[in-house]
Amino acid sequence: MISAQTTERFAREVAKYPADQAQSAVMACLAIVQQEQGFVSPESEAAVAAYLGMPVIAVHEVTTFYNMYNQQPVGRYKINVCTNLPCQLRAGQQALEHLCEKLGVDEGGTSADGLFTVQQCECLGACADAPVLLVNDRQMCSFMDEARLDDLVDTLRKA
Ligand code: FES
């Protein structure tokens, strides 16, 4: 399940903490798993738990608390649209619905071509730029009205 290369990466993360605090590296190890496999499966959680010497449920609690961890495979582009109150007051929900309609998916779903997964998310810390979304947990996009959403989808499709 976990390759030697992955284990080496885990070890580098664990080495950042005191010897008896290996579980402090749990978030980093889960991020490595997701980077390599695209999502964190229950089997991966069990492998991380075994590696760090912690209960599987404790690893699962981390995976499910932070929505940047994917618990199932996602499309090439995961788009998280903020639907917290400040964004809601500036058309965040409409942005989410427009994106879902344009891509033919329900919230949380992946488009038939496997390119896009659309999810709602909590505050991204850029409320003044609402509505806001995040692409692949890295690229923040601001002021996402329908025209900008359409441009984003077109740009990502061509990428
Ligand atoms: S509420 Fe959307 S970024 Fe803060």
Side-chain angles (χ1 to χ4, degrees):
M1 182 80 230
I2 292 186
S3 68
Q5 184 185 10
T6 302
T7 304
E8 282 175 28
R9 294 184 69 189
F10 284 1
R12 281 199 293 275
E13 296 302 324
V14 169
K16 295 175 183 175
Y17 300 97
D20 62 344
Q21 304 283 323
Q23 67 181 29
S24 297
V26 64
M27 291 180 68
C29 291
L30 289 171
I32 290 167
V33 167
Q34 180 160 300
Q35 196 177 53
E36 295 183 354
Q37 301 180 14
F39 73 111
V40 180
S41 65
E43 294 77 19
S44 296
E45 289 178 338
V48 168
Y51 185 85
L52 297 176
M54 57 194 293
V56 176
I57 186 63
V59 175
H60 186 62
E61 286 169 353
V62 175
T63 308
T64 53
F65 183 82
Y66 296 101
N67 71 1
M68 282 185 174
Y69 294 119
N70 306 323
Q71 294 173 62
Q72 60 267 323
V74 295
R76 185 190 301 173
Y77 302 109
K78 183 179 72 170
I79 301 177
N80 285 86
V81 182
C82 175
T83 54
N84 271 194
L85 185 58
C87 279
Q88 287 283 25
L89 294 172
R90 292 180 61 185
Q93 183 65 34
Q94 289 94 318
L96 176 67
E97 290 170 4
H98 179 77
L99 211 44
C100 286
E101 189 178 321
K102 183 175 179 68
L103 297 171
V105 298
D106 293 328
E107 189 276 321
T110 299
S111 58
D113 58 9
L115 275 182
F116 298 97
T117 297
V118 181
Q119 301 174 336
Q120 59 182 352
C121 70
E122 303 302 321
C123 179
L124 293 167
C127 316
D129 294 355
V132 173
L133 60 78
L134 193 62
V135 179
N136 286 347
D137 302 323
R138 292 280 187 281
Q139 182 187 355
M140 181 89 78
C141 299
S142 301
F143 308 112
M144 297 307 288
D145 58 21
E146 293 189 359
R148 289 173 66 89
L149 288 166
D150 292 344
D151 285 347
L152 174 67
V153 169
D154 290 346
T155 300
L156 293 175
R157 274 206 175 110
K158 290 178 194 154

